[in-house]
Amino acid sequence: MNETQLLKAIGFPKTTQILKTLPYNQLENKLTVAQKKIISEHVVARGIRILAMIQTNNTNIEVFESETERYDSIVFLAVNVKELKKSAQIYKVFMSIMPNPLVILFFDETRTKWVFTTHEKKKDGLLASKNLYEVQEIVTLQQVEEQLNFENLNKTNLKTFYESWLERLLQLELQARYNIYKPVSLQDNLLEKIVVMDAQIDDYVKQAKKETQLNKRVELQQAANKVKEQKAKLIARVK
């Protein structure tokens, strides 16, 4: 992955760019035995990179802090992993030891996955994950470089910046998976609604295939069809 090309393409100011390897020994003494195992088994050696830090003194974007949330600096990491399916688990390890909101771009030899989370403040000064978002690998790095831009993100404060970054990537996933060209809002997440419906349909279909009683199989097939109709109506309404 060409880090410099990525940051240039998405327009991150030079003042925010770090582009340094984060030595594992700086993290190791903060990790539990179980967390060390996760990192050693799933992260490539010297594969943790700090790409950028977004904060008030290098962007003029204001800090946001409330009783439950804190956005004083956003850390953008790239982590080279052996398999993308462990991304959420690895993200939670980093979040448990770093006091700032994180954006992590996970990558293996061919694919990428972005992970974000909303959070709640903890008494120890760290942040606890609230809602974790994984932007699926169907969203390619090329698409991100072409369609994400620093200048177009909401710079009211660091919270709106973080959320608009995430919403833009979710919008790219909505386009790639369902050919829907509509903005995505965390408050009314269209992508999430459709993904939930797809999961319900798959579950009903799998149950129907296993069911030996004809009447129950028909019920499950009807349930799947009902969700399919709801999904079709939702998509038709927004297109």
Side-chain angles (χ1 to χ4, degrees):
M1 186 182 75
N2 190 325
E3 301 167 350
T4 305
Q5 177 182 308
L6 170 63
L7 292 176
K8 182 179 179 181
I10 63 178
F12 271 48
K14 285 279 188 182
T15 53
T16 67
Q17 298 179 25
I18 307 292
L19 295 168
K20 289 184 179 179
T21 299
L22 180 60
Y24 176 66
N25 59 16
Q26 290 187 14
L27 307 175
E28 192 173 13
N29 64 348
K30 301 177 183 177
L31 301 176
T32 65
V33 173
Q35 289 173 330
K36 289 177 184 176
K37 188 171 186 291
I38 291 169
I39 298 297
S40 64
E41 288 184 356
H42 303 298
V43 175
V44 173
R46 296 185 58 79
I48 306 167
R49 297 277 293 168
I50 307 176
L51 299 191
M53 290 189 69
I54 300 92
Q55 47 200 21
T56 302
N57 64 10
N58 60 21
T59 62
N60 291 321
I61 304 173
E62 293 184 6
V63 168
F64 176 89
E65 185 160 10
S66 67
E67 291 184 3
T68 57
E69 298 173 292
R70 184 183 70 248
Y71 291 84
D72 53 0
S73 178
I74 298 167
V75 179
F76 180 18
L77 301 178
V79 179
N80 190 358
V81 293
K82 297 171 185 176
E83 47 185 343
L84 286 178
K85 66 182 181 180
K86 299 294 182 181
S87 298
Q89 198 174 6
I90 298 166
Y91 184 99
K92 289 176 182 178
V93 172
F94 283 107
M95 189 167 187
S96 72
I97 60 172
M98 300 182 77
N100 309 103
L102 299 175
V103 175
I104 304 185
L105 171 57
F106 292 94
F107 65 99
D108 61 14
E109 292 181 355
T110 58
R111 302 166 303 157
T112 59
K113 177 181 281 191
W114 298 76
V115 182
F116 296 70
T117 189
T118 57
H119 69 259
E120 293 179 331
K121 289 194 296 190
K122 295 165 63 178
K123 291 181 180 179
D124 62 6
L126 297 174
L127 305 175
S129 176
K130 191 176 178 183
N131 296 311
L132 192 76
Y133 296 86
E134 296 180 75
V135 179
Q136 299 303 312
E137 51 265 36
I138 193 172
V139 177
T140 67
L141 207 55
Q142 181 180 346
Q143 288 173 312
V144 173
E145 289 178 352
E146 291 173 353
Q147 299 186 57
L148 176 71
N149 193 279
F150 182 91
E151 287 305 316
N152 297 331
L153 300 179
N154 187 328
K155 301 183 191 65
T156 303
N157 54 56
L158 288 172
K159 178 184 178 181
T160 63
F161 180 85
Y162 185 92
E163 291 181 347
S164 65
W165 186 353
L166 167 57
E167 287 171 343
R168 183 64 183 124
L169 292 178
L170 292 175
Q171 184 180 357
L172 293 182
E173 184 177 344
L174 183 66
Q175 292 174 13
R177 291 177 70 170
Y178 300 104
N179 199 32
I180 297 174
Y181 291 78
K182 292 286 184 181
V184 173
S185 164
L186 297 186
Q187 285 69 44
D188 185 24
N189 192 335
L190 176 61
L191 173 63
E192 185 177 50
K193 290 176 182 178
I194 299 174
V195 169
V196 167
M197 287 179 173
D198 277 344
Q200 289 174 334
I201 293 166
D202 287 344
D203 186 50
Y204 284 134
V205 170
K206 286 176 183 176
Q207 288 184 59
K209 286 180 179 178
K210 294 177 182 178
E211 183 55 61
T212 56
Q213 294 185 36
L214 180 59
N215 62 330
K216 289 186 177 179
R217 191 186 310 146
V218 171
E219 286 178 7
L220 290 165
Q221 289 169 341
Q222 289 175 337
N225 289 336
K226 184 176 180 180
V227 180
K228 286 179 184 177
E229 289 174 7
Q230 292 170 345
K231 174 186 166 185
K233 288 178 181 178
L234 176 61
I235 291 174
R237 193 164 66 242
V238 300
K239 276 195 168 182

